[in-house]
Structure formats: C-alpha cells, structure tokens
Amino acid sequence: MSHYIGKILYLMEKQTMNNQTTFVYEVEGLRQSETTDKVNNPVRQSGTVYITVPYKRMNQEMQRISRMGGKIVSIKPLSEHSKANGKATQTGEKTKPMTQAKDKKKEIPVNTYRPKNPFVGKCLSSTELVREGGEGTVRHLLFDLSGSELKYLEGQSIGIIPPGTDDKGKPHKLRLYSIASTRHGDNLDDNTVSLCVRQLEYKHPETGEKVYGVCSSYLCNMNEGDDVSITGPVGKEMLLPDDEDATIIMIATGTGIAPFRAFLWRMFKEREQNPDYQFKGLAWLFFGCAYTPNILYKEELEELQRQFPENFRVTYAISREQKNKDGGKMYIQHRIQENAEELWQLIQKPNAHTYICGLKGMEGGIDEGMSAVTGQFNVDWSDYQKQLKKDHRWHVETY
Ligand SMILES: Cc1cc2nc3c(=O)[nH]c(=O)nc-3n(C[C@H](O)[C@H](O)[C@H](O)COP(=O)(O)OP(=O)(O)OC[C@H]3O[C@@H](n4cnc5c(N)ncnc54)[C@H](O)[C@@H]3O)c2cc1C
C-alpha cells in the first residue's frame, strides 16, 4: 500500500504540472459479486478492471478497492491510459493505432480544388429521402467527378458554389456539405461523390414570409445532367479510425447522418473493396428527427442491422411521435440518457470514438446526459470530455 501512496504523491505532483485531473486504476481481484457489480466497470478477460478516478477521490477510491479485496496493479493518468491503446484494450485485445487524424503519415487530401478554380462536375441523380407524411425536403445527390483529381476520405466535406450573385452583386460564397459516400463513391468506381442536403426553409422573423436557402434550394432543385461547381475536400475532424475493432458511436440529427452513411457503407457494404479494413467492432448510430418518414436511409440502415446484428445498432429519437420518460418530446439527448450507462462503459474503451453531427446546439443535451451518468461514478464529465478531445476520440461537426 505504501508503494501506492508514494505513487499517488508522485502523480499529484505530476498532475499539478500537467494539469491532469483524472486517473485510471487497473485493479485485479475484484471478482463479480453483489458489491463489485456496483462498481460497474468492464471486466477484462485477464480478470482486471479499469476504474476511472477523479484526482480528488484517488485516496478514497484506493481504500474502497482495498476493502473489496482488490489490488491496484497500475495507476495511469487518463491521457497515458488512452495512449496505451496499442498495448491493450479492456477486452485485453491488441489494437491498431487510433485515428487517421492522429496518424500524421496518412495522406488526407485537402483543398484539391479551391473557390477560384473549382471542379465543374455533373449531377448524375437526385433522390428524395423524405417519405410521405414527413416534413421538408432532403435530397440524396450523386455527382460525377470524372476527369477530376478530387479524392476524399469518409468524414470529409466538399464546398458547393451556387451560381449567381448575392444581394451585393458579388458571386455567392461556397457552402460546405458533408460527404455521404465512401471514397469509392456510390457506384464503386472512385468517380463520384454523394451529398445529403436539406432545403433550408424558414419564416422571415419580421415579415413572416417564407424564405428558402440559396445553395440548399439550388442543390435540391438540381436536375440530372446539370453542372455543379465543387471545391475541397476539407475537414480532418470527422475521420474514421483504421482500427477494425473500434467502437464507433455516431449521434446524428437530420442531415448529420451524411458522414455516418459513409462510415457505415465503408464498414459493412464495401468489404470486398477494402481487404485491409474488415470492420469487426461495434457501430452504434443514434438518429434524431421529427417524424418516422424523416428517418433518412431508413431501409438501408435496417437492412444493415439485420445483416450485422452483433456489430451494428441503431436507436431512433422521433421527437413528434415518441415520448421521453417525463412525457415530453423524445429528443436525441433522451436516448443518450436512457443508454448512458452502457455508453459510458463503451466510451471508456481506449479505442472508442464518439461522433456528433447535425444541428448546432445538439451537444448540450448529450453533455447533460453524460454528466448525469459519470456523476454516479464521481467522474467530472467536462474533464473527461476534454481528455477525449485531446485524444482525438470526441468528434463534433454541427452547423
Ligand atoms: C461542415 C459543414 C457540413 C455541412 N453539411 C451539411 C449537409 O450534409 N447537409 C446539409 O443540408 N447542410 C449541411 N451544412 C449546412 C450548409 O453548409 C448550408 O449552411 C445550408 O445548406 C444552408 O445554406 P443555404 O445557402 O441554403 O442558406 P442561406 O441562403 O445561406 O441562408 C442561411 C441564412 O439564413 C438565415 N436563417 C437560417 N435559418 C433561419 C431561421 N430559422 N430564422 C431566421 N433566419 C434564418 C441565417 O442568416 C443563415 O445564415 C453543413 C455546414 C457545415 C459548416
């Protein structure tokens, strides 16, 4: 025990220098029992468990573990624990390096085409994704990139320059759209890119007049054969890790599903095209929208679930149809709260990545849900999340 007190003093000093606030104990000897079940930490095949401990509770937690007959075999700052990903996960398996974003050697194409010199592609097809009874318009658009140098990765975006000029007579600025296809494109010939675009429509706050967004209307009204000015690709925030065993948690509202369609198609639909990426981990998609007919790509998602029940889960939050436990509208944060304990177990795995994409402001509810659960384990969610961000395991793209 004195060894650990020494170690704690050393870590306390180190944490003051490095601003570390959370540590991970690896503990052996905590067999499953009524008491240890309450610890609620994943048990590794080797029989050890990881327990995340905030700095303030280190001493107390050590005494508690000792009372339960456990023995601490290592203590690491959370950041080091996460970096040790290549050595061991909670299931005791070896894993590959973490993210493409962290892997500096990986080629990430950026800005092959800039606004001054965009690539002019052609619209190959435009399909309505909102079914009867749903609200608004969302189109799946497929663009031909033949003759271009444009290569991209799942999770990146492209820019679209709408034709014409703004109210000051200047050419319209580009708008960004998340790419909804894999690098191989929907036709698997490495020659197309797809988008999932909602037509922006709102009531003018003063006149009450209906206003339609410039670029989204242009895209949603596009016909087969029309030209389209494309820039990019851009973005390194939402890249998918190379690790085939990773846990990928995806939280989307509306068109926020676009990058996740690309992820899921790469994981499950294009195995033949990617012999070096045979996903065997867990992908869990949370999708929020107003009505069932607004669930984008519903049939394909449910087909994937049927084919890969062990590796893919989808959870919907349909605000105007489902009720949360307090009788209010079911928003995505309520689904996060309902599943927060399991999510917390998953998020602690060193090769787990969480992605949030869609409406600006959706992060607030997700943080609320996670805080409530991590609070039960005396872990401060905002500290933990900061570390996840530093480790490139918490990815947000909202607009
Ligand atoms: C990284 C990134 C990825 C994106 N991915 C996608 C995607 O995959 N799919 C997608 O559909 N969109 C996506 N977007 C959003 C997209 O870039 C455009 O912002 C969107 O299509 C609207 O552009 P627009 O030209 O139609 O609207 P604009 O004509 O530019 O109008 C937008 C403006 O209208 C005003 N406005 C909007 N709503 C209201 C309101 N309710 N009340 C009052 N005023 C309002 C605001 O001033 C706003 O700036 C993404 C954005 C980013 C940054």
Side-chain angles (χ1 to χ4, degrees):
M1 191 60 104
S2 63
H3 164 75
Y4 281 107
I5 290 169
K7 173 99 183 171
I8 282 187
L9 286 173
Y10 164 73
L11 286 167
M12 278 164 63
E13 241 173 67
K14 212 173 147 193
Q15 78 88 32
T16 330
M17 286 186 322
N18 296 345
N19 206 18
Q20 290 285 351
T21 51
T22 309
F23 294 87
V24 178
Y25 291 177
E26 187 180 359
V27 182
E28 65 180 26
L30 288 184
R31 296 279 159 236
Q32 295 287 268
S33 70
E34 229 173 80
T35 330
T36 56
D37 278 351
K38 287 189 195 129
V39 173
N40 207 5
N41 283 284
V43 177
R44 300 169 65 204
Q45 272 162 12
S46 64
T48 63
V49 294
Y50 289 128
I51 300 180
T52 308
V53 188
Y55 161 66
K56 281 180 279 189
R57 285 186 50 87
M58 286 181 82
N59 209 355
Q60 220 175 328
E61 191 62 21
M62 201 166 54
Q63 286 167 8
R64 194 172 72 96
I65 289 164
S66 165
R67 276 200 305 278
M68 290 194 303
K71 185 175 160 221
I72 300 172
V73 292
S74 75
I75 302 176
K76 285 199 179 103
L78 181 63
S79 53
E80 262 180 44
H81 169 74
S82 304
K83 273 186 216 138
N85 173 45
K87 291 180 193 143
T89 68
Q90 280 165 344
T91 53
E93 290 157 3
K94 294 243 176 195
T95 61
K96 287 187 180 173
M98 278 209 318
T99 63
Q100 289 176 340
K102 277 189 98 181
D103 185 354
K104 298 264 185 336
K105 278 174 263 157
K106 184 139 207 133
E107 284 260 321
I108 303 167
V110 226
N111 286 322
T112 314
Y113 290 90
R114 292 180 182 272
K116 284 202 172 127
N117 186 22
F119 172 72
V120 180
K122 278 214 185 302
C123 176
L124 290 175
S125 66
S126 167
T127 317
E128 180 60 58
L129 293 174
V130 178
R131 292 170 307 281
E132 216 177 312
E135 66 175 14
T137 291
V138 181
R139 311 286 296 188
H140 182 77
L141 293 150
L142 178 68
F143 298 143
D144 189 5
L145 298 177
S146 307
S148 83
E149 300 287 310
L150 208 150
K151 299 284 166 225
Y152 58 87
L153 295 174
E154 300 75 20
Q156 291 195 291
S157 299
I158 52 169
I160 299 291
I161 309 174
T165 52
D166 61 19
D167 48 11
K168 292 183 191 103
K170 296 209 164 133
H172 281 301
K173 293 208 163 74
L174 69 83
R175 269 70 160 176
L176 290 176
Y177 293 91
S178 309
I179 296 172
S181 49
T182 71
R183 63 192 75 182
H184 301 301
D186 287 356
N187 295 342
L188 300 180
D189 59 3
D190 295 24
N191 250 335
T192 65
V193 64
S194 301
L195 301 180
C196 170
V197 179
R198 181 180 86 92
Q199 183 175 26
L200 174 67
E201 183 187 326
Y202 62 92
K203 275 208 174 113
H204 192 283
E206 281 146 31
T207 62
E209 221 181 320
K210 225 180 213 189
V211 185
Y212 293 98
V214 172
C215 192
S216 59
S217 299
Y218 158 69
L219 287 169
C220 288
N221 292 322
M222 188 168 264
N223 293 310
E224 199 182 311
D226 285 354
D227 285 347
V228 56
S229 293
I230 301 172
T231 66
V234 295
K236 294 183 181 175
E237 173 63 23
M238 299 287 284
L239 301 176
L240 191 60
D242 289 335
D243 186 349
E244 297 164 333
D245 299 300
T247 294
I248 305 292
I249 298 159
M250 297 161 278
I251 308 173
T253 49
T255 54
I257 199 167
F260 306 144
R261 178 184 185 267
F263 288 7
L264 292 167
W265 266 230
R266 177 160 171 83
M267 288 168 178
F268 299 114
K269 285 198 160 198
E270 297 179 7
R271 290 180 174 252
E272 274 177 41
Q273 282 73 24
N274 306 303
D276 57 343
Y277 183 72
Q278 301 289 302
F279 185 72
K280 303 186 282 294
L282 174 69
W284 190 352
L285 171 71
F286 289 84
F287 180 75
C289 62
Y291 300 100
T292 302
N294 284 95
I295 299 175
L296 308 174
Y297 308 106
K298 183 171 184 285
E299 273 177 27
E300 289 120 308
L301 292 175
E302 290 170 10
E303 180 55 31
L304 285 185
Q305 238 192 334
R306 273 190 291 277
Q307 283 180 17
F308 302 93
E310 301 297 317
N311 306 91
F312 177 49
R313 282 195 223 169
V314 54
T315 303
Y316 301 128
I318 308 174
S319 63
R320 306 286 170 86
E321 295 175 11
Q322 299 172 334
K323 297 251 176 288
N324 66 38
K325 68 175 173 26
D326 301 320
K329 286 182 186 161
M330 174 65 83
Y331 290 115
I332 205 145
Q333 67 260 33
H334 300 117
R335 290 292 187 211
I336 298 298
Q337 281 165 22
E338 278 175 16
N339 291 282
E341 273 193 32
E342 193 177 358
L343 282 171
W344 172 230
Q345 297 308 320
L346 291 173
I347 285 170
Q348 288 178 82
K349 293 171 81 173
N351 60 349
H353 289 249
T354 306
Y355 297 82
I356 298 173
C357 189
L359 290 178
K360 214 168 207 109
M362 65 185 280
E363 307 100 293
I366 294 164
D367 287 339
E368 240 173 71
M370 290 312 300
S371 300
V373 169
T374 58
Q376 294 169 27
F377 302 100
N378 295 304
V379 172
D380 182 290
W381 173 244
S382 70
D383 283 350
Y384 197 88
Q385 190 190 42
K386 266 184 215 137
Q387 191 58 53
L388 289 177
K389 284 182 184 169
K390 267 195 206 158
D391 293 343
H392 304 275
R393 299 204 292 121
W394 188 265
H395 315 258
V396 181
E397 194 156 88
T398 53
Y399 44 85

